[in-house]
Amino acid sequence: MKFSLYVVAVPLALLGTVVPASASFAAGPAGADGGAGGTAPPVLRLTDGPADKAAVAVSRPSPDGSVATVPVGDARLTARGPSGGFVLAPARSPAGNGPGDLAQVHAGDVVAGPATQDTPHGVLVKVAAVHANGDGSIAVDTVPATLADALGDAEVDATVPLTPGDLKAKPLTSGGKVTAGAGPQGRGVRLDVDVPVPDSVEPTEGHASALSASLDLSPEFLFSYERAHWYGVQPSRARIGMAADYQYGVKVHAKSSASYATGHKPLRIPAAEVNVDKTVWLGPVPIVLSLKVDYFYDVSADGTIAVDAEEHTDGRLEIGARYDAGEGWSALSGPEPVSTATPALITGSATAKGGVGSHAQVGLYGSVGVAADAEPYLKATATAQNTPQGASAGWGLYAGLEVNGSFFARLDIFGTRVLDKDWELPPLRYEHKLAGSDV
């Protein structure tokens, strides 16, 4: 059986994200000749990057929209500068990216640095001033830069799977276990957790746990960008986000003798946390993709109920935002998932709900651009009433999803600022009945 799934994350000024090459836009460069205004931008593809994975890239944007590479060899960012900028040091050895000369770095150049121990979220800055040091290094005063500064006129469309080595998970509570996911070569992260429940809830006979759940995510970054200078100085198309194939399972074998609730804000206790700052290279430019995923759970009931039920869902989340110069920002959405359930036994007169969800934050160079909570859950309802015709009872089992999203428009890595505040989306809820007395 199926229920609808739409993951919401909205217009965001930091973001740019994967847009299918076949998508058409009314306003913007299109076609091999770039339409009426000029030539199509060059296509940038993912590369292996320099031999020294800690080396920076320095580029020099031109008024015609092109970007020239400034040859600085395998220069590295080594420290913060005295005036808040950075220190660039020459390559540690002659081998690597070839000869380079830091004296060629000028004001107006753009420095893009990968994620390293010294710069865990990478660096994207524009040089405001250069100060030579006596040891061959230079100190650069900097101001924030945008990807348009670093990439210029270009077209990028990339999907970047996260490998097991990219995902650094740390358990935060007892009762939770984080392991490699079920994707190819163990790609992804799997969370198994026995969900804490109130004192008034206990397992039904023959079961050790009242509520347990698993959530297996195989995330990948979605990223795209397109700008043709003859059309505009800002990107005409952009997208950034996270997609994740997921498998979700929940087992409820619980009986409750009292009501309990978490109020308007559900009880959310992190069970695990995943942090990623992954560097990919578009031509010579390092792009640092940032992802943070927290897991949470919530449970509630409004009376006396006993539930023995299990449910499994396969689906795909897409969290992020798409920008089009003619239409503005819009949210990404994923396809409809598929849910199945085992035969259920539900008695009492109440509604109970339990689930484990994830909170994802996606951005570039450590800046959060879009965030969304996605919580799949299992809900059981039971009713009992006396009528002149005698006693009657009904029950239902539902698979659902609750989604809350926001985007952060003040982050303008792409230079497409919309507002100077966060935008919150109204919560969405999708629910499908899996079984019941009238099904």
Side-chain angles (χ1 to χ4, degrees), residues 304-378:
T304 300
I305 191 170
V307 181
D308 284 286
E310 300 182 8
E311 177 257 332
H312 179 87
T313 295
D314 290 295
R316 180 175 175 83
L317 300 174
E318 291 191 4
I319 298 171
R322 174 188 291 113
Y323 174 77
D324 167 59
E327 301 176 7
W329 289 100
S330 60
L332 304 182
S333 62
E336 187 174 325
V338 178
S339 295
T340 58
T342 61
L345 177 62
I346 302 172
T347 60
S349 182
T351 297
K353 189 187 78 162
V356 171
S358 60
H359 173 73
Q361 298 179 353
V362 187
L364 298 171
Y365 298 97
S367 297
V368 176
V370 66
D373 292 347
E375 183 196 353
Y377 63 85
L378 188 68

Side-chain angles (χ1 to χ4, degrees), residues 66 227 260 271 382 387 390:
S66 64
R227 193 193 80 168
Y260 51 93
T387 69

Side-chain angles (χ1 to χ4, degrees), residues 263-341:
H264 294 291
K265 293 184 179 180
L267 174 65
R268 293 183 175 176
I269 301 175
E273 184 179 286
V274 176
N275 290 285
V276 177
D277 286 293
K278 181 180 179 69
T279 303
V280 298
W281 278 266
L282 293 172
V285 179
I287 308 293
V288 181
L289 307 169
S290 301
L291 169 67
K292 180 177 180 180
V293 178
D294 300 313
Y295 297 101
F296 60 85
Y297 58 84
D298 68 63
V299 292
S300 63
D302 58 12
T304 300
I305 191 170
V307 181
D308 284 286
E310 300 182 8
E311 177 257 332
H312 179 87
T313 295
D314 290 295
R316 180 175 175 83
L317 300 174
E318 291 191 4
I319 298 171
R322 174 188 291 113
Y323 174 77
D324 167 59
E327 301 176 7
W329 289 100
S330 60
L332 304 182
S333 62
E336 187 174 325
V338 178
S339 295
T340 58

Side-chain angles (χ1 to χ4, degrees), residues 79-87 125 139-143:
R80 299 291 295 189
S83 58
F86 293 91
V87 173
V125 293
V140 291
D141 300 336
T142 62
V143 295

Side-chain angles (χ1 to χ4, degrees), residues 106-154:
H106 299 157
D109 292 346
V110 178
V111 179
T116 67
Q117 184 174 358
D118 293 329
T119 57
H121 302 304
V123 171
L124 182 63
V125 293
K126 183 179 291 187
V127 177
V130 180
H131 311 281
N133 296 325
D135 58 0
S137 66
I138 60 172
V140 291
D141 300 336
T142 62
V143 295
T146 70
L147 275 181
D149 296 327
L151 299 180
D153 288 358

Side-chain angles (χ1 to χ4, degrees), residues 249-273:
V250 61
K251 298 179 180 180
V252 182
H253 298 283
K255 52 186 178 181
S256 172
S257 58
S259 299
Y260 51 93
T262 58
H264 294 291
K265 293 184 179 180
L267 174 65
R268 293 183 175 176
I269 301 175
E273 184 179 286

